[in-house]
Amino acid sequence: MLILRGITCLRSLENRLFPVLRLQSTPFSSTKVMAKPKGGEQEDLKPVKFTQSGAYRMNPEYATAIKPQGDKQPLYQSIMVPFSVIVFMIYFFILREENDMDDMILGTSLFDRVEGLEKTQIEVCIAHYEKNGLDTRDLKERLAELQAIEEAEDARIKAEEEAAEAAEAAKQAELAA
């Protein structure tokens, strides 16, 4: 008996705390949809100007399904990010010793490792300097040096190729004899 009394008491408390929403429904009729509009309903078929609609006055925050929740970053993030950066810098700038790879990477110029880069860079710099009215004499001198070095290298390669061809022709002549 006490159990039944407790259940009814809980139900009455629940009804007071969480009132039941009663939705009023209207019967759906397809005759309205299928019927041709009459004179008064003709205005409903015309396009609605956006500036005269309710959407124009609506706040964009309510138009989206996801409402902004504010800044939800963890409290420890403002401490952990600088701490991680400091630890990274201590390791790479203080604790880490240089090795052979560092010497290989930092020991030579990029112009020495990539053939033709210096010439291209100087040509671009000359064009930029001339466009801005700056002095290009030093750049043009270095470009002339690079072209002379390139011509000397081409002449050396051509001489080696001719010597190799002459040696090959001599071997073939020796074999034929």
Side-chain angles (χ1 to χ4, degrees), residues 1 5 7 30 33 35 65 81 91-92 117 134 144 151-152 169 174 176:
M1 188 68 160
R5 191 178 268 174
I7 292 174
S30 62
V33 175
V81 171
Y91 173 73
F92 276 99
L117 180 64
L134 301 171
E151 289 173 2
E174 189 177 293

Side-chain angles (χ1 to χ4, degrees), residues 58-98:
M58 186 168 52
N59 187 350
E61 188 173 302
Y62 296 114
T64 60
I66 302 171
K67 294 186 179 183
Q69 298 295 327
D71 194 11
K72 289 285 188 176
Q73 74 179 20
L75 295 175
Y76 57 85
Q77 181 176 345
S78 60
I79 297 169
M80 288 307 295
V81 171
F83 177 74
S84 299
V85 170
I86 289 170
V87 168
F88 177 82
M89 291 170 61
I90 288 172
Y91 173 73
F92 276 99
F93 298 153
I94 299 171
L95 299 176
R96 185 173 170 268
E97 295 180 8
E98 289 187 12

Side-chain angles (χ1 to χ4, degrees), residues 93-112:
F93 298 153
I94 299 171
L95 299 176
R96 185 173 170 268
E97 295 180 8
E98 289 187 12
N99 56 26
D100 296 339
M101 290 299 291
D102 294 332
D103 293 336
M104 186 175 71
I105 292 171
L106 301 173
T108 60
S109 170
L110 185 61
F111 294 136
D112 295 337

